[in-house]
Amino acid sequence: MKKFMPEPFKIKSVEPMYFIDPERREKAIQDAGFNTFLIKSKDCYIDLLTDSGTSAMSDKQWAGLMIGDEAYAGSENFYHLEEVVREYFGFKHLVPTHQGRGAENILSSLTIKPGDYVPGNMYFTTTRFHQERNGAKFVDVICDEAHNPDMDGVPFKGNVSLEKLQKLIDEVGADKIPYICLAVTVNLAGGQPVSMANIKAVSELCKKHGIKVMYDATRCVENAYFIKEREAGFEDKSIKEILFEMFSYGDGCTMSGKKDCLTNNGGFLCLNDDDLFLEAKAMVVQFEGMPSYGGLAGRDMEAMAIGIKESVEYDYIAHRVNQIRYLGERLDAAGVPMVKPYGGHAIFLDARAFLPHLEQDQFPAQALAAAIYRTSGVRTMERGIVSAGRNIETGDHHRPKLETVRLTIPRRVYTYAHMDYVADACIELYKNRDSIRGLKFEYEPKVLRFFTGRFSEI
Ligand code: PLI
């Protein structure tokens, strides 16, 4: 197996973690209704639920908290964040929000009219929720390869299919498409990147038809790393340069700072359009806070500004992606089925191939996530039929081709030794996969059901 460089950080402060014995795990999964979202954090040994808000901040970020300017208006830290976002992302205007979905709410509310269509390279749960809440229909225009778990040779599985996008424009008309939501990387496809060539081509097509390109920039630094690694002509460019070029083709972005900005909270909306920015400022005061803090403390904005600068350091981002690759290679050597190529923030187990004896309506990924917790204390997340929810018109389940369990790696938190524990647990479970039973809903919330739904074993 390939050797990787050690973690590019020294540990200055530690958070103790405790092994969870089998009886306690069994009680915790039963009490949680087989939903890993409902397990208490103290009942988890290694927590791979999400990479959102779970990053370890650096000493410089912690120091930044101490220079938080908590003025109600005109905080120093807002101006610092604005300066950094302009320098690294290149957009003209910044509206801070409490997290990514705050920005999604503002963008969707201001630009979507009932009956509109919003194309995207695969959906994300909260993003699609806000689009639909405002009366739009989400249309998936990602390339077909993205729906196939095992396509190791495809370097940019997050790419938009230009044919699918053109077809939508021809069918519904560009005036019914306020923007395309271009995710870099694509979370639910397995953390798959979009190439610079594809970003450029999407932008050209959209410009021709007067459609805005709005990035979901949540994991944009990971996307930039993959471009450097895989796309000809970018090998010698810095991550910062690639990031800047990626955004130069668009009109704005929503950002969950809880991921690639290396913070525990925060987000923002970026816009180039002056009029839209004025409207966004008028709206942010209604739902988030003053335009110079948008629901954030001054110290959070400072940590985010510093986090953005650290996120583009080559050693950091190379380690991040390679740590995930290491986990993938360990699992692959034991034949565990996964989405390939490995993504930028997580390994996605292919639950259909892992549990071929279960139908999709028996929620195989939900059952697998529960089983991983039960046998090891490792918490993961379902990303399949349960996350996909129901079609708002027919009421039937959305049935995504990808039925996955996400082993999401928090940034700068765990070491290669932790990855070994996770790999061993999944490999052991794979050997005993026939014993895993399907699930059925005991309680199904109407929206975003994966967060609070409860299940029992069939
Ligand atoms: O969790 P928020 O509201 O800061 O961000 C929402 C959001 C938007 N886009 C994408 C691609 C996401 O991954 C995302 C949040 N993701 C979560 C919470 C996750 O566990 O992946």
Side-chain angles (χ1 to χ4, degrees):
M1 196 170 300
K2 196 174 161 226
K3 280 269 182 211
F4 296 108
M5 289 293 284
E7 287 76 11
F9 48 80
K10 292 189 282 183
I11 297 166
K12 184 175 279 190
S13 172
V14 297
E15 179 181 341
M17 51 189 281
Y18 301 97
F19 186 69
I20 312 294
D21 65 49
E23 293 74 35
R24 192 163 141 202
R25 298 198 300 257
E26 186 57 33
K27 180 170 180 337
I29 195 68
Q30 299 279 353
D31 288 352
F34 294 86
N35 184 348
T36 53
F37 277 96
L38 301 180
I39 301 172
K40 290 179 181 160
S41 158
K42 72 173 176 42
D43 288 332
C44 298
Y45 178 46
I46 294 181
D47 197 349
L48 307 187
L49 183 70
T50 179
D51 62 333
S52 181
T54 52
S55 302
M57 292 206 296
S58 68
D59 49 358
K60 291 198 178 60
Q61 285 177 293
W62 282 103
L65 296 184
M66 288 306 292
I67 51 168
D69 171 2
E70 308 305 342
Y72 190 78
S75 162
E76 242 338 87
N77 314 112
F78 167 74
Y79 297 111
H80 183 204
L81 178 63
E82 187 182 50
E83 179 194 312
V84 170
V85 171
R86 281 198 185 126
E87 182 183 337
Y88 287 74
F89 286 53
F91 295 116
K92 203 164 157 194
H93 303 297
L94 170 77
V95 183
T97 56
H98 75 285
Q99 58 184 83
R101 69 200 72 181
E104 290 169 353
N105 178 30
I106 296 173
L107 176 69
S108 305
S109 304
L110 292 179
T111 57
I112 293 172
K113 299 184 299 309
D116 279 351
Y117 294 79
V118 179
N121 48 346
M122 206 173 264
Y123 83 102
F124 183 71
T125 53
T126 59
T127 322
R128 187 179 68 193
F129 168 75
H130 281 292
Q131 293 159 0
E132 289 177 346
R133 199 174 72 88
N134 286 284
K137 189 168 189 302
F138 163 80
V139 182
D140 187 5
V141 292
I142 202 165
C143 62
D144 287 340
E145 291 89 335
H147 294 284
N148 184 338
D150 197 357
M151 295 209 90
D152 213 4
V154 182
F156 292 102
K157 267 170 93 178
N159 278 358
V160 168
S161 156
L162 297 171
E163 292 74 33
K164 288 185 194 174
L165 181 56
Q166 183 67 60
K167 187 163 168 273
L168 178 71
I169 297 170
D170 294 343
E171 274 172 18
V172 305
D175 57 331
K176 286 238 178 283
I177 307 176
Y179 63 92
I180 179 170
C181 175
L182 183 59
V184 286
T185 59
V186 184
N187 186 356
L188 297 192
Q192 305 296 328
V194 182
S195 71
M196 193 73 86
N198 190 252
I199 294 175
K200 250 167 114 168
V202 168
S203 166
E204 278 163 21
L205 180 58
C206 287
K207 273 212 181 86
K208 202 167 99 187
H209 293 278
I211 298 167
K212 284 192 163 50
V213 176
M214 301 300 304
Y215 299 84
D216 179 338
T218 298
R219 296 182 181 84
C220 56
V221 181
E222 290 162 14
N223 200 95
Y225 177 80
F226 283 122
I227 289 178
K228 181 174 173 71
E229 194 183 62
R230 299 179 183 171
E231 193 165 351
F234 292 92
E235 328 49 3
D236 298 327
K237 292 226 154 87
S238 69
I239 300 294
K240 184 179 171 187
E241 286 169 325
I242 296 172
L243 194 68
F244 195 86
E245 181 176 340
M246 275 165 54
F247 290 132
S248 70
Y249 301 113
D251 301 282
C253 73
T254 54
M255 180 73 187
S256 171
K258 302 172 71 161
K259 282 85 165 175
D260 269 359
C261 299
L262 291 167
T263 53
N264 304 123
N265 202 17
F268 51 83
L269 171 67
C270 286
L271 296 165
N272 283 339
D273 186 301
D274 297 336
D275 295 335
L276 197 55
F277 172 57
L278 281 180
E279 288 181 59
K281 277 209 292 192
M283 194 171 168
V284 80
V285 289
Q286 297 171 44
F287 294 103
E288 305 276 329
M290 284 285 285
S292 61
Y293 74 84
L296 294 172
R299 55 180 175 268
D300 293 334
M301 292 189 282
E302 190 61 28
M304 194 146 63
I306 297 168
I308 291 171
K309 293 187 203 167
E310 291 180 358
S311 72
V312 301
E313 285 172 14
Y314 181 78
D315 287 352
Y316 154 73
I317 188 64
H319 165 263
R320 165 141 186 81
V321 175
N322 281 324
Q323 192 181 39
I324 287 145
R325 202 166 279 165
Y326 172 79
L327 176 58
E329 289 181 4
R330 283 238 29 221
L331 293 169
D332 195 42
V336 178
M338 285 167 287
V339 173
K340 289 184 194 162
Y342 311 128
H345 66 301
I347 288 296
F348 286 69
L349 301 180
D350 179 356
R352 286 176 195 270
F354 203 113
L355 302 176
H357 58 285
L358 298 188
E359 299 295 323
Q360 194 173 23
D361 284 20
Q362 298 175 316
F363 310 134
Q366 189 77 29
L368 180 54
I372 292 171
Y373 174 77
R374 213 177 205 172
T375 57
S376 66
V378 175
R379 170 156 66 173
T380 60
M381 183 193 287
E382 190 267 5
R383 294 275 81 159
I385 184 170
V386 177
S387 294
R390 288 183 185 272
N391 182 310
I392 48 170
E393 280 156 18
T394 65
D396 194 12
H397 294 298
H398 285 295
R399 287 191 174 72
K401 290 209 179 105
L402 293 181
E403 179 71 25
T404 64
V405 170
R406 193 179 72 174
L407 313 181
T408 337
I409 313 302
R411 295 165 182 79
R412 306 193 288 207
V413 171
Y414 293 118
T415 65
Y416 283 105
H418 295 114
M419 297 301 110
D420 280 334
Y421 178 87
V422 174
D424 291 341
C426 293
I427 292 165
E428 200 49 38
L429 187 62
Y430 187 57
K431 290 184 196 149
N432 300 312
R433 58 192 178 275
D434 293 346
S435 64
I436 299 174
R437 286 153 63 188
L439 299 175
K440 62 180 187 330
F441 264 113
E442 289 296 327
Y443 162 61
E444 182 183 348
K446 283 209 169 59
V447 294
L448 300 175
R449 62 187 183 174
F450 57 95
F451 282 130
T452 54
R454 299 183 68 83
F455 305 80
S456 62
E457 283 184 301
I458 294 171

